[in-house]
Amino acid sequence: MGPPPRPPHLSTVRPGGPRPTGWLTVPGDADDLHATLLTALTHPGEIERRSRNARAFVVEQYDWRTITERYAEVYDRVLAAVPT
């Protein structure tokens, strides 16, 4: 069946891949929470690695320069669609 879908507010948490940014657990599953916490707490290097990845992700995605460039692109598209 697979894991349940992630809520939108957790879309930035990447538990796997080349640059994981954190851990996710199955909602309501105390055993999964226990196992995940145990894994995290017994691997301090992995906590540090995921912390660095999470910070880099936030800087890449939410830096003010990045945000203003995205807004400028939206405004440019909107203005280009306005008849003159």
Side-chain angles (χ1 to χ4, degrees), residues 33-56:
L33 176 61
H34 176 262
T36 301
L37 287 172
L38 189 60
T39 297
L41 293 173
T42 57
H43 295 88
E46 188 61 18
I47 292 173
E48 179 62 31
R49 181 173 83 97
R50 290 178 190 230
S51 296
R52 281 192 312 270
N53 290 342
R55 185 179 192 296

Side-chain angles (χ1 to χ4, degrees), residues 12 14 18-21 49-70 73:
T12 58
R14 294 180 283 183
R19 293 178 60 197
T21 59
R49 181 173 83 97
R50 290 178 190 230
S51 296
R52 281 192 312 270
N53 290 342
R55 185 179 192 296
F57 177 83
V58 168
V59 169
E60 290 166 10
Q61 297 298 315
Y62 300 106
D63 176 78
W64 278 113
R65 276 174 263 171
T66 303
I67 291 170
T68 55
E69 286 172 13
R70 287 183 190 150
E73 291 169 7

Side-chain angles (χ1 to χ4, degrees), residues 6-20:
R6 285 195 276 176
H9 65 280
L10 293 178
S11 63
T12 58
V13 178
R14 294 180 283 183
R19 293 178 60 197

